[in-house]
Amino acid sequence: MGDASTIIVGTAGKAYMAEVGSTFPVGPEEVWGSDFTDMGFVTPDGLEEALEEERTQLDAWGEDAPVVDLARKRTQTFKLAFRQTTAPLLSLYYQVAYANMTSTAAVTTPTAKKQFLSFGSGSLSDTVEISLGLDVIMSGKRHRIMIARAGVTDRESIKHNPEDSSNFGLTFTALAAPGGAQSVQHFVTDVALPTL
């Protein structure tokens, strides 16, 4: 029988980033540590999570169906579009390390000039990887996803026009975690484990 209380609708959410190797919270309602930075506003499209598998099937003589079905590779991706323009999002979108960015301070005299960030893009030598934390929230329920090591593997075009903000649409792919740990961890509140 259906139970409407088990339905999660992602009415809100947050994304956090930190350096690879940072310590994740130990529960879905624990506060994110000081290592993690809030990545800012996400568009109403929310989070799109995908899990793809490459499988190998082995046949046997005289059998009309595969006798072994092996998962060879699992790829997990997480897609979000961010509204704000910040140094972390610029770094991720353009794959430029902070060390290769320069901040020029504002000046007031003789002519006022605003502070600005400058960097080049197009160098394949820069690879920006992060630990990524995601919260999907609805009426007290929470699905927390923690990706130990993630890289940006797809980017949407940035549109500069008067109809919308200049958004950073990023798809993150979960990469192998340091030290053989789980690459992706999930915490989901109010879900009972069946008795075996």
Side-chain angles (χ1 to χ4, degrees), residues 68-148:
V68 175
D69 183 20
L70 299 171
R72 291 189 307 123
K73 179 180 170 184
R74 287 191 179 104
T75 304
Q76 289 182 265
T77 58
F78 305 88
K79 181 179 177 181
L80 303 109
F82 298 93
R83 286 212 183 273
Q84 295 173 235
T85 299
T86 63
L89 289 171
L90 291 167
S91 171
L92 288 166
Y93 188 88
Y94 291 106
Q95 286 294 286
V96 179
Y98 292 148
N100 294 329
M101 293 180 162
T102 302
S103 180
T104 302
V107 295
T108 54
T109 59
T111 305
K113 294 181 182 176
K114 293 186 176 190
Q115 175 274 341
F116 65 92
L117 190 65
S118 59
F119 57 90
S121 61
S123 170
L124 294 178
S125 62
D126 268 350
T127 300
V128 180
E129 294 177 352
I130 61 170
S131 284
L132 180 63
L134 304 166
D135 280 336
V136 178
I137 306 162
M138 179 234 170
S139 303
K141 292 183 182 292
R142 188 175 298 259
H143 183 175
R144 177 165 283 176
I145 306 167
M146 298 159 292
I147 302 101

Side-chain angles (χ1 to χ4, degrees), residues 12-25 27-28 30-33 35-40 42 46-47 49 78-80 82 89 92 129-137 142-151 172-174 183-187:
K14 287 283 189 181
Y16 302 88
M17 63 182 280
E19 290 185 16
V20 173
S22 295
T23 302
F24 284 104
E30 301 294 323
V31 176
W32 289 92
D35 297 2
F36 286 85
T37 301
D38 185 334
M39 296 175 73
V42 175
L47 168 65
E49 177 185 359
F78 305 88
K79 181 179 177 181
L80 303 109
F82 298 93
L89 289 171
L92 288 166
E129 294 177 352
I130 61 170
S131 284
L132 180 63
L134 304 166
D135 280 336
V136 178
I137 306 162
R142 188 175 298 259
H143 183 175
R144 177 165 283 176
I145 306 167
M146 298 159 292
I147 302 101
R149 182 172 156 244
F172 297 91
T173 295
S183 59
V184 180
Q185 285 283 111
H186 296 264
F187 293 147

Side-chain angles (χ1 to χ4, degrees), residues 166-179:
S166 298
N167 300 327
F168 293 89
L170 304 174
T171 299
F172 297 91
T173 295
L175 305 172

